[in-house]
Amino acid sequence: MELRQDILPVCEQTLAFVLVQMLRLAFKGLMQMVKIKRAFVGAVLITATLLTGCQKSQTRKENTFAFRKMVQDETTMEQAEALGVVSDCNKASPWGRACRLSDSTLAGVAVVPGVVDFGEDGKFHSLSIEIDPNDYATIRDALTSAYGQPCRKESRHRKLSEEEAVESEDTAWCFQGGILDLRQMTPGDSSRGVLDYFPHKPVPVHATPATYSSETL
């Protein structure tokens, strides 16, 4: 995952410039004592405002979902193709267009080539990658390294048949625009797991009904 680092440095540079200019005016005695006090108070207020803005910018940056140079609601399908991240973008999806991930590995292990959806505006919307349940721990640790600690961990009792049941783990990472959900096993199928990213947006009315519930998102 690549994080854009252009917002915070600009804030810091602006903050430093304002402080230097305000303090320079005060110490040179170019204003009267009352005005110096006002300038100092003004500098403090401006500093607090800029600092708050910088913190908010940093929060937005950290909470924006990105995957292999694609940023949610920013990267277009054409840009993703040019970067070599996706290919085979000739399929329609309920949200717009669907592509295949060019790299059929995830965290160094083989996976079924994932599907990336781009919305009607042509921008990165969602993704789904099928995984081997045996690789779950490796992928989970890699995602934690990339995105930080998950917002949810659950252990599920998957019933495969009347006689057979297995324990399965689900882990999720929360972002400002959606949820990245890693499931060791899909419901009713112990032979495959899945990594899904779904945005916090309503599913189109013409979309094919999904098999997910509020508990398995």
Side-chain angles (χ1 to χ4, degrees):
M1 177 189 67
E2 290 189 357
L3 293 178
R4 294 168 299 160
Q5 299 180 358
D6 55 328
I7 299 177
L8 190 57
V10 171
C11 289
E12 292 175 342
Q13 292 170 12
T14 304
L15 180 59
F17 175 79
V18 171
L19 283 174
V20 169
Q21 295 302 317
M22 297 302 292
L23 292 174
R24 181 180 295 171
L25 289 174
F27 283 109
K28 282 186 175 182
L30 296 179
M31 297 181 290
Q32 298 176 359
M33 186 61 65
V34 174
K35 290 184 178 181
I36 292 176
K37 291 181 179 178
R38 290 177 179 173
F40 180 76
V41 172
V44 172
L45 292 175
I46 293 173
T47 299
T49 301
L50 287 173
L51 185 58
T52 300
C54 290
Q55 290 173 338
K56 289 182 178 179
S57 296
Q58 185 179 28
T59 299
R60 285 195 297 270
K61 178 183 69 175
E62 291 176 347
N63 284 340
T64 299
F65 179 68
F67 185 85
R68 294 182 182 173
K69 301 180 181 180
M70 298 184 297
V71 181
Q72 181 189 359
D73 292 334
E74 291 187 20
T75 304
T76 65
M77 184 176 69
E78 291 76 15
Q79 290 172 331
E81 285 185 289
L83 290 169
V85 180
V86 299
S87 59
D88 191 22
C89 297
N90 57 0
K91 299 178 181 178
S93 80
W95 293 272
R97 304 294 295 179
C99 303
R100 287 284 183 183
L101 283 171
S102 301
D103 188 352
S104 59
T105 65
L106 180 63
V109 299
V111 295
V112 176
V115 177
V116 180
D117 286 302
F118 293 85
E120 293 182 353
D121 59 358
K123 297 179 180 179
F124 175 38
H125 177 271
S126 57
L127 66 84
S128 182
I129 304 173
E130 185 177 321
I131 70 167
D132 186 326
N134 295 321
D135 296 324
Y136 174 84
T138 298
I139 295 173
R140 178 200 60 204
D141 293 345
L143 293 173
T144 300
S145 176
Y147 299 115
Q149 292 300 313
C151 61
R152 187 184 74 230
K153 292 181 180 180
E154 295 180 349
S155 180
R156 297 181 181 276
H157 194 65
R158 300 287 191 195
K159 188 174 182 179
L160 305 180
S161 66
E162 292 297 330
E163 298 80 20
E164 185 182 6
V166 293
E167 289 297 322
S168 174
E169 185 177 314
D170 292 358
T171 306
W173 291 261
C174 298
F175 297 87
Q176 184 179 16
I179 295 177
L180 181 67
D181 188 23
L182 176 66
R183 280 170 287 167
Q184 188 174 16
M185 300 176 189
T186 56
D189 189 350
S190 62
S191 66
R192 66 186 186 96
V194 66
L195 174 67
D196 287 326
Y197 179 77
F198 288 116
H200 296 314
K201 293 180 180 178
V203 176
V205 294
H206 58 279
T208 303
T211 58
Y212 309 110
S213 67
S214 59
E215 294 182 354
T216 56
L217 282 176

